[in-house]
Amino acid sequence: MSLLLNNPETMQKASEEIDAIVGTEHILDEVDVTKLSYLQNILNETFRLFPPAPLLLPHESSEDCTISGFHVPRGTMLLVNTWSIHRDTKLWVEPTKFMPERFEGGEGEGYKLLPLRNLRRLAVAEIFSSESLRKSSTVREEEVSCLIRRLLKVSTSGTQNVELRLLFSILASNVVMRVSAGKRCVEEEHAGTKMEKQLFQDFKNKFFPSLAMNICDFIPILRVIGFKGLEKNMKRLHGIRDDFLQNLIDEIRLKLKRTTSLKADEVTDGEERRSVAEILLCLQESEPEFYTDEVIKSTVLMMFVAGTETSAITLEWALTLLLNHPKVMQKVKAEIDEHVGHGRLLNESDIVKLPYLSCVINETLRLYPPAPLLLPHFSSEACNAGGFDIPQGTMLVVNAWTMHRDPKLWEEPNEFKPERFEAGLGEGDGFKYIPFGIGRRVCPGASMGLQIVSLALGVLVQCFEWDKVGTVEDPSHGLGMILSKAKPLEALCSPRRDLITLLSHL
Ligand code: HEM
């Protein structure tokens, strides 16, 4: 009540909601309360700012356990400081401000009320570690083989013009979906059918909201004043995504129950590869308060959204650049022929032996970083960046695109010259080349993204002859927060003669 008295606009908005939903015919009752989402946001925000039990009640660990990386012996008294979690600047935008709107669209229900830093540590240790990456290599190799089979099917009768954007997007989405949730986004049996396009479009609509939604991440005021019915659309989208993700994890939970009652350590130590959702569901058994369904859904969602288009777009740009630079294409091919040969398909363990292929991918990411403005960052304290005083709580947008093409930092910055990466990046060069961001919020999936792109590009060059459809493949890019090619890539493709025998066995 005190907060409402001090915030008359919020009071007004709450009373308008009650008038609209309850009306003046009867006194508001408990059934009405469930329909009053803004009122509930006010309560959530009040609990966040003034939790009645800021230290919760002391808990005693009944057995040895690990909480967020800390070993907690049996019989330890545990105090949870809700007050500081709820006012942590790394978790909340303007945490001391009373803003019930922050809970709109379900935001804050799950992971935001949890220590995100710990979740990130978990992500790095369990999901993106080199061991997890190694275990998921078969997924990437199988999906790349699927792509090759598709290309082979259309091109065995002779050189064919193929549209690659959809194929690359399906490849990346299937890999990320299998790694995160254990199943494909589109099954191979639907390859090339209308059903495939429809299924994939449905997937995209769920996880890649329109430009309007992205714009509001960068210009938050648009959320408050409303932008093209944005608030309504976001709520609708949140509902659709949430149903999809909940069904997905319920399905996995059921499967886990049916098969075995594995414990998390058995799951992570074993050789068998398990999806991220499966690992988290097993951890849920021992730490249900931390690994809630909300946390699991958020983690899987984050992987879909951040991992699929970025990888697919990089692959599309890389092949575009190779088509426009036949000498570079030739050099990549020669490297693969020398180190892998024609007797077997290139696999992930070959990538370290292909430094020039890596240079091509680095140079692609320099010229066309898929997230040219990275993600918006927020200054948790006042600082000075590049000579500018940045007050605490400022939204910072880093323009990686400009840095990657700055003539003070790069020689002939607009030229495609993979050789510039041959000597590796020197100390401090990391700050001028940031396709994955840098620092604490650096992309945790960078290694996985690089593996997807390197493997797919390497195998495409190893198995097929490629050519442009016209004289030059148009390198212009579209508008948006994600730097995709303006015109989807089409190319002429035919199987390499030397590899016909190998390809016929795929
Ligand atoms: C070539 C492929 C990729 C590129 C270029 C890329 C790039 C980026 C960039 C620029 C950011 C923001 C960093 C910042 O603002 O400082 C980011 C964040 C993120 N990326 Fe990637 N990414 C790629 C692949 C992946 C993959 C495959 C995954 C997981 C499956 C992934 C998961 C994430 C996540 C979860 C975040 C958010 C991290 C946070 O907020 O702390 N990315 N990525």
Side-chain angles (χ1 to χ4, degrees), residues 227-494:
F227 182 73
K228 295 186 178 173
L230 177 85
E231 198 177 306
K232 229 168 87 193
N233 284 342
M234 276 186 91
K235 279 190 182 153
R236 195 182 53 83
L237 183 72
H238 176 77
I240 296 173
R241 274 177 175 177
D242 198 60
D243 289 349
F244 176 85
L245 292 165
Q246 190 64 51
N247 286 339
L248 197 66
I249 63 166
D250 287 346
E251 215 177 274
I252 301 170
R253 185 181 280 126
L254 203 68
K255 192 183 108 195
L256 276 177
K257 271 205 187 120
R258 273 205 215 113
T259 48
T260 170
S261 57
L262 279 176
K263 292 271 182 301
D265 53 348
E266 292 170 60
V267 169
T268 46
D269 291 348
E271 251 317 289
E272 200 192 340
R273 196 197 60 76
R274 301 222 146 215
S275 73
V276 168
E278 278 177 81
I279 294 172
L280 295 179
L281 278 168
C282 288
L283 289 165
Q284 191 179 59
E285 283 188 11
S286 51
E287 286 185 65
E289 357 31 74
F290 185 74
Y291 299 101
T292 58
D293 279 10
E294 291 303 323
V295 166
I296 301 174
K297 283 187 282 182
S298 305
T299 309
V300 171
L301 173 70
M302 222 164 46
M303 291 180 74
F304 286 171
V305 173
T308 52
E309 282 299 276
T310 43
S311 308
I313 285 172
T314 308
L315 187 54
E316 193 180 9
W317 280 119
L319 191 56
T320 302
L321 287 162
L322 289 187
L323 288 169
N324 284 341
H325 297 84
K327 281 190 186 150
V328 178
M329 173 80 97
Q330 197 47 46
K331 210 168 153 184
V332 175
K333 197 183 286 177
E335 184 181 66
I336 295 172
D337 286 352
E338 185 188 340
H339 295 284
V340 186
H342 300 160
R344 63 176 177 83
L345 215 56
L346 184 156
N347 62 39
E348 283 202 358
S349 57
D350 293 314
I351 293 170
V352 284
K353 295 177 254 160
L354 304 169
Y356 192 66
L357 176 69
S358 300
C359 292
V360 167
I361 289 160
N362 284 338
E363 181 68 342
T364 305
L365 285 166
R366 183 187 69 80
L367 284 170
Y368 300 102
L373 300 180
L374 309 185
L375 291 177
H377 287 244
F378 207 74
S379 55
S380 50
E381 53 190 61
C383 59
N384 186 288
F388 294 97
D389 284 326
I390 316 271
Q392 184 191 25
T394 307
M395 174 151 323
L396 293 160
V397 176
V398 177
N399 193 337
W401 166 276
T402 315
M403 287 163 69
H404 288 184
R405 290 176 181 246
D406 186 338
K408 289 192 233 69
L409 301 173
W410 303 92
E411 247 175 55
E412 299 188 274
N414 294 321
E415 295 302 312
F416 176 62
K417 289 211 265 176
E419 287 72 13
R420 70 173 91 235
F421 283 96
E422 273 177 344
L425 283 167
E427 207 182 314
D429 281 353
F431 293 105
K432 68 177 194 183
Y433 177 67
I434 49 167
F436 297 101
I438 196 161
R440 281 175 31 163
R441 302 307 293 265
V442 69
C443 168
S447 304
M448 192 192 298
L450 286 174
Q451 292 297 83
I452 298 173
V453 180
S454 312
L455 180 73
L457 188 68
V459 175
L460 290 173
V461 173
Q462 182 193 24
C463 298
F464 296 95
E465 299 291 354
W466 293 97
D467 209 347
K468 302 178 281 278
V469 174
T471 44
V472 71
E473 179 55 35
D474 181 4
S476 42
H477 54 81
L479 289 175
M481 304 302 160
I482 291 278
L483 193 71
S484 48
K485 221 171 147 289
K487 196 172 135 277
L489 173 62
E490 277 178 47
L492 298 173
C493 153
S494 58

